Amino acid sequence: MPRSMPGAADNPNRDPGEFELIARYLVSRDEGKATGLVLGPGDDCALLSPSPGHQLAVSVDTSVVDVHFPAAAPAFAVGHRALAVALSDLAAMGARARWCIMALTIPRMDEAWVAAFSDGFHALCRESGVSLIGGDVTRGQLSVSVTVHGEVPPNRALRRSGGKAGDVLAVTGALGGGLGGLKAWQAGERDLEHELLKAYLLPRPRLAAGLVLRDLAHCAIDISDGLLADLGHICRASGVGAELDPARLPLAAGLETALGHAAAQRAALTGGDDYELLFSMPSSVVDTARQRLAAGGDTLTVIGRLKEAPGIAGVDAELVDGWQHFRGGAS
């Protein structure tokens, strides 16, 4: 692996090089506790041993400066967010998170920034039970790529293709906070205790909720591109349509106050970056799901149903496209 940030070997005050940076900040801080890790950082590959009788669930997510987070965002939040959005994919599949790999690209050496970034990343690792088992550092435009590994019993992963006509549609948590937080940032808000800004920069992957829903829901997806866009993914994969009741959407705290009712509802439908779970299930298990989710601090709100006829009813057709890369806009 070529060293991308060389320094003078005889200068004790020099910036750390790539390998020193990795050793100081970007390796697991609980490697001794990591289960299933046969060989960790320090060799060309990590060696993993999944739990017997389980399948691996693997996903990768890349966060790019001024596309997915502002350039001036706190480094701690950038680290947290980069891992959170990747873990959200495991939550949507009902997978238990186990390991992650991270590739960090930075424009220049700034050890204080990397240290704070690392603190945010590792704090969520500890909270989620994830071990950082390898990665890379290089020079270029600021971006973070995180590959997450989870595990799930065979034939029990939640998929987008399992939805059935007649299922109720529901979501965890509240919606619209991602876009609301972005707008708050653009308006000059910098307090990470601000509810909307926290929702945008410090999202919470619904890993525990995914484990609960694995045994109750027919299908699931995480809301990253916007509720309507992600519901469209479910409808296409499952061969169904949907009907929404926008009046039932659970709006993020402070969203209506900040944006007004119409804009708040639109943010909930199309804003994206919420990282809640959207799922379908038989109406007969909704109460059970709500009780089990509540035990872990999560909420469930029914927002519509799946139907046989194609298309998404109950909302303006012009809203259905949602966010897509290369079609304009930036988050």
Side-chain angles (χ1 to χ4, degrees):
M1 180 167 58
R3 181 182 295 272
S4 55
M5 291 187 177
D10 57 351
N11 180 0
N13 297 316
R14 65 178 173 83
D15 289 329
E18 173 190 354
F19 304 127
E20 292 167 276
L21 202 68
I22 292 173
R24 289 183 194 178
Y25 303 111
L26 304 179
V27 297
S28 175
R29 295 180 180 176
D30 65 346
E31 185 175 335
K33 303 177 185 177
T35 57
L37 181 60
V38 179
L39 180 64
D43 223 302
D44 287 303
C45 293
L47 298 178
L48 306 175
S49 181
S51 298
H54 284 66
Q55 296 174 326
L56 277 177
V58 182
S59 182
V60 63
D61 209 290
T62 299
S63 298
V64 179
V65 66
D66 286 332
V67 176
H68 303 98
F69 61 90
F76 182 96
V78 175
H80 171 104
R81 193 180 192 283
L83 177 58
V85 301
L87 289 174
S88 185
D89 288 329
L90 294 183
M93 299 289 287
R96 182 165 72 97
R98 297 294 306 277
W99 310 285
C100 65
I101 297 171
M102 185 256 289
L104 173 64
T105 302
I106 51 178
R108 65 190 64 82
M109 175 51 63
D110 184 342
E111 190 173 359
W113 189 96
V114 174
F117 167 91
S118 175
D119 287 343
F121 194 96
H122 285 294
L124 187 55
C125 279
R126 290 190 297 272
E127 181 180 326
S128 305
V130 177
S131 294
L132 177 62
I133 59 170
D136 191 24
V137 179
T138 190
R139 179 163 48 196
Q141 182 186 25
L142 178 60
S143 67
V144 192
S145 289
V146 180
T147 301
V148 289
H149 305 73
E151 57 185 24
V152 62
N155 303 315
R156 289 177 62 192
L158 286 167
R159 302 185 182 188
R160 301 177 182 184
S161 58
K164 303 178 187 299
D167 280 357
V168 299
L169 275 172
V171 294
T172 59
L175 304 178
L179 181 59
L182 172 62
K183 289 185 176 296
W185 177 275
Q186 292 171 336
E189 180 63 61
R190 295 296 182 267
D191 182 2
L192 288 183
E193 292 303 312
H194 186 281
E195 285 299 321
L196 293 177
L197 197 59
K198 184 187 297 184
Y200 170 51
L201 290 178
L202 297 170
R204 314 305 303 184
R206 300 302 183 184
L207 291 165
L211 296 180
V212 168
L213 294 171
R214 186 173 71 192
D215 296 322
L216 297 169
H218 284 154
C219 68
I221 191 172
D222 75 319
I223 302 174
S224 56
D225 296 328
L227 173 65
L228 290 179
D230 290 314
L231 176 55
H233 297 323
I234 283 180
C235 289
R236 284 187 291 275
S238 296
V240 296
E243 183 172 0
L244 290 179
D245 183 354
R248 302 179 73 174
L249 295 176
L251 301 180
L255 190 64
E256 283 191 275
T257 300
L259 303 183
H261 177 73
Q265 192 172 81
R266 186 183 182 103
L269 288 168
T270 67
D273 271 343
D274 285 326
Y275 303 102
E276 298 294 347
L277 300 183
L278 168 66
F279 50 95
S280 82
M281 58 176 47
S283 59
S284 60
V285 301
V286 168
D287 288 342
T288 298
R290 183 176 282 117
Q291 292 169 6
R292 293 183 184 178
L293 288 170
D298 291 306
T299 61
L300 179 156
T301 304
V302 174
I303 61 169
R305 65 182 181 90
L306 296 182
K307 58 187 180 70
E308 291 185 3
I312 299 176
V315 294
D316 292 340
E318 66 178 17
L319 299 179
V320 173
D321 278 347
W323 163 262
Q324 292 186 52
H325 282 282
F326 308 114
R327 291 185 58 180
S331 59

